[in-house]
Structures are given as C-alpha cells and as structure tokens.
Amino acid sequence: MTPTLARALDASAVGLSALCLVHCLALPALALLLPVLGLWAQAEWVHVAFVLVAAPVAALSFVDLSKRRPRSWRLATVAILGLALMIAGALEFPSAADERALTVVGGILLAGAHLANWRRRHDDARCAACD
C-alpha cells in the first residue's frame, strides 16, 4: 500500500468516526427541532451502514498488506475493540439502552487508534527519510 493511500485511509477513518460521533450526539438534539432528522437519527440502517463502512477502512488502515499482519498489534487491538463496541451498539447488544454509550466509546477508541496510526506512519516516514 502506498503511503499516500495509507494516509488517505487513516484520514477518512478519522472523518468517518467524527461523522459517527456527530450522528450519535448532535442529531438527537436536532431531532427535537426537525422531526425528519429524528427519523433518520433513529433509523437502524444508519448504524449498520456506519459499521459496514468503518470495518473495511479500519482493516485496510491497520494491516500491512505486503506482510499480511498488523503494523502495530497494540493499535490493531484498540481498533478492533472500538469496532466491536460500535458493532455491539449498532446491534443494540446487550440492550438498546446501551447503544449510544457503546457506539460513542467505540467511535472514540477507533478514531484514537487511527490518529495514533497516522502519527506512527508520519514518524516512520520521517525516520526513513533520515536514514
């Protein structure tokens, strides 16, 4: 994977996580003002769609395709945990009452892992340029 593509994947993943957080936190507040947004904010397909987009982006971002293993096992573990929490929230597991908390915590973990991955790539590129 080229460094440009890797950076684009991390950047898009962080953007998707931010969009997910906006959906979880801001849309319910806006739903009080606009009933149409309320329907969209509560639609279950939206949660599933976010997870279906987040999973492959995360997989491509954290795995070194040439070596077929994660670049960093720690970051991959945090990303998998965040993604698992997002999936649990999307599926309302263990209960619908926990959906928002699971999704928000999962999104923050996944975004944090992507930011750390982005920084790690930048540091690796800088060290490679020094050699």
Side-chain angles (χ1 to χ4, degrees):
M1 182 180 327
T2 65
T4 304
L5 177 59
R7 280 192 299 270
L9 284 170
D10 282 328
S12 64
V14 171
L16 287 169
S17 294
L19 182 61
C20 182
L21 286 174
V22 167
H23 166 78
C24 289
L25 300 175
L27 284 181
L30 291 174
L32 297 172
L33 302 173
L34 302 170
V36 174
L37 279 180
L39 293 175
W40 186 74
Q42 299 303 321
E44 291 307 312
W45 68 266
V46 174
H47 302 135
V48 174
F50 276 136
V51 170
L52 289 175
V53 171
V57 170
L60 287 172
S61 296
F62 290 99
V63 174
D64 184 349
L65 295 176
S66 64
K67 296 178 184 174
R68 295 181 185 216
R69 64 178 180 82
R71 288 180 181 81
S72 166
W73 285 100
R74 282 186 193 157
L75 292 179
T77 301
V78 173
I80 290 168
L81 177 61
L83 195 56
L85 289 173
M86 289 174 63
I87 290 169
L91 298 176
E92 296 181 349
F93 178 81
S95 72
D98 300 326
E99 173 190 4
R100 183 165 294 140
L102 290 171
T103 304
V104 168
V105 171
I108 289 171
L109 283 174
L110 189 56
H114 279 295
L115 287 170
N117 195 40
W118 195 353
R119 183 178 173 110
R120 187 169 189 261
R121 283 181 207 277
H122 178 72
D123 290 347
D124 289 348
R126 189 176 58 211
C127 288
C130 293
D131 292 340

